[in-house]
Amino acid sequence: MQDLPTIAWHDGKVRILDQTLLPHELVMLEISDYLGVIQAIKSLAVRGAPAIGAAAAFAVVLSVWHESDSDRAGFIEKANKAITEIKAARPTAKNLFWAVERMRETLAKNLNRPLHEIRQELLRTAQWLLQDDLQRCQAIGKFGAALLPDRCNILTHCNAGALATAGHGTALGVIRSAVAQGKRIHVFIDETRPLLQGSRLTTFELQEENIPATLICDNMAAALMRRGMVQLVLVGADRIAANGDTANKIGTYGLAVLAKHHNIPFYVAAPWTTIDMELNSGQLIPIEERDADEVRRMQGRLIAPEDIPVWNPAFDVTPNNLIDLLITDRGVVRPPFAGTLAQMMKS
Ligand code: MRU
């Protein structure tokens, strides 16, 4: 898995591992224009909050990569137009907006330099964002691994692994780091309907690294907990509000309610780039609603009446009172989250 980067820059193109085809086909998309990257983000060929951010940064680079060096106004206009369009690709993950904002800053700071130098600066920032995310995930892994007991069963939802980041992962990064320390961990993986990120991606990652894992359907979590088969729930995040409320893949909130009922700790692992200090509450986090056919169909095959109305939110918000710990790259945050997050933001 470590050898298979989710996103890479190669020779004027962005290489993206097409996650819609996993685990059965390993296909690298080679994308040479920013609209192609937007499409890859929308279709979930690249997904997971930090990975979306990194892909978005390279999309900004692509938007000006082939622009003429003599038309300054056209170059700047193209970059700004692309930035607006890239930000509209998906609404929930904070990392998308964080990464694109770093790109916009780079553009603004270098505005008076020759255009070929601006292009290189944009590329440098995008490469840095990728490296920065990997380091953040490794830090999350270090802080989180120290919290995990030896011999434990962890339930996770969706995919918060190397595929969802620049590498190592957030929730799976914690598990990877703990396993590297010799801790004996077994992971229960929610399949994660409708798009099956758990059964297609998390299974793939854990098997690649020989981490013991068992797949369950989403509706089996309650029974699993009731039988005492899980000691911890560990998930990633798409956006965390200033009070600790956390948006993550649809179904996460249900797991948190179940974990509280069964007295099982519920931890969220995320880089600081997922935290949105401008939103005081999770109720303000925009929740993406996706195409009805994602629910009516499975892997393209119709599994419901063709015309049945569907509600398909991609994320839900887990209120802070159901979260026991936030594991970030700056350290572990305990409730009440609001004060501590604000303090850590300043330091
Ligand atoms: O719709 P997706 O697959 O992009 O949703 C991804 C998740 O919900 C992940 O749990 C989250 O982005 C954390 S990734 C480190």
Side-chain angles (χ1 to χ4, degrees), residues 19-20 40-47 90 195 197 290:
Q19 298 190 34
T20 63
I41 293 173
K42 287 186 171 175
S43 68
L44 271 54
V46 58
R47 35 70 46 205
R90 290 188 78 187
L195 295 180
Q197 289 91 332
R290 293 184 60 87

Side-chain angles (χ1 to χ4, degrees), residues 2-218:
Q2 309 289 11
D3 300 325
L4 201 66
T6 313
I7 302 160
W9 177 261
H10 182 75
D11 204 14
K13 295 192 177 86
V14 185
R15 281 188 175 161
I16 287 177
L17 177 62
D18 187 346
Q19 298 190 34
T20 63
L21 301 176
L22 288 174
H24 303 300
E25 285 177 69
L26 286 178
V27 174
M28 275 326 252
L29 304 172
E30 289 224 331
I31 305 177
S32 55
D33 81 302
Y34 78 95
L35 292 172
V37 180
I38 292 178
Q39 188 44 38
I41 293 173
K42 287 186 171 175
S43 68
L44 271 54
V46 58
R47 35 70 46 205
I52 292 170
F58 284 110
V60 177
V61 179
L62 282 181
S63 74
V64 292
W65 199 251
H66 297 291
E67 282 300 291
S68 144
D69 277 353
S70 54
D71 178 7
R72 179 170 291 271
F75 184 103
I76 307 296
E77 197 187 311
K78 185 82 189 281
N80 282 324
K81 179 172 174 284
I83 284 172
T84 306
E85 291 172 34
I86 295 161
K87 276 163 77 174
R90 290 188 78 187
T92 305
K94 172 68 184 168
N95 309 61
L96 168 68
F97 305 98
W98 186 84
V100 172
E101 186 52 27
R102 301 288 80 75
M103 298 302 286
R104 202 197 52 73
E105 278 171 7
T106 299
L107 182 67
K109 231 174 26 206
N110 294 286
L111 219 47
N112 296 323
R113 292 175 64 181
L115 297 183
H116 68 274
E117 287 182 20
I118 300 182
R119 203 179 284 127
Q120 287 305 326
E121 285 304 323
L122 287 172
L123 178 57
R124 221 188 308 276
T125 302
Q127 301 274 33
W128 174 83
L129 283 165
L130 207 53
Q131 196 50 35
D132 176 66
D133 184 59
L134 180 59
Q135 283 168 4
R136 287 178 195 268
C137 288
Q138 282 161 345
I140 290 168
K142 187 187 79 177
F143 289 122
L147 301 166
L148 301 193
D150 188 17
R151 291 186 188 281
C152 85
N153 291 292
I154 298 176
L155 174 60
T156 192
H157 192 64
C158 194
N159 172 268
L163 291 166
T165 61
H168 200 65
T170 56
L172 293 193
V174 170
I175 291 167
R176 274 199 172 90
S177 296
V179 169
Q181 289 173 2
K183 290 185 175 167
R184 284 155 291 185
I185 309 258
H186 169 267
V187 186
F188 282 104
I189 305 168
D190 267 353
E191 65 175 349
T192 318
R193 272 285 283 152
L195 295 180
L196 306 172
Q197 289 91 332
S199 61
R200 294 186 304 104
L201 309 177
T202 301
T203 53
F204 172 74
E205 277 199 38
L206 294 182
Q207 282 197 333
E208 286 281 298
E209 297 199 21
N210 292 318
I211 298 176
T214 304
L215 177 65
I216 62 166
C217 296
D218 299 325

Side-chain angles (χ1 to χ4, degrees), residues 213-323:
T214 304
L215 177 65
I216 62 166
C217 296
D218 299 325
N219 54 5
M220 295 171 187
L224 191 77
M225 292 184 189
R226 179 96 195 235
R227 288 195 190 192
M229 289 166 75
V230 52
Q231 287 78 50
L232 173 71
V233 180
L234 178 56
V235 296
D238 286 84
R239 199 186 294 220
I240 300 175
N243 68 350
D245 291 352
T246 294
N248 190 49
K249 178 53 56 195
I250 189 76
T252 303
Y253 170 45
L255 285 186
V257 173
L258 287 174
K260 180 66 96 193
H261 181 78
H262 292 93
N263 250 317
I264 295 168
F266 184 93
Y267 296 172
V268 173
W272 206 263
T273 47
T274 301
I275 299 175
D276 190 342
M277 294 303 284
E278 284 172 17
L279 301 186
N280 292 329
S281 149
Q283 286 178 346
L284 300 170
I285 299 175
I287 299 295
E288 176 183 12
E289 295 207 8
R290 293 184 60 87
D291 197 282
D293 266 352
E294 290 182 352
V295 176
R296 291 191 199 114
R297 292 174 185 272
M298 204 184 279
Q299 306 275 273
R301 191 171 149 253
L302 201 59
I303 55 163
E306 209 162 1
D307 53 354
I308 188 80
V310 161
W311 182 52
N312 185 19
F315 304 97
D316 58 26
V317 175
T318 301
N320 57 14
N321 65 319
L322 298 180
I323 300 171

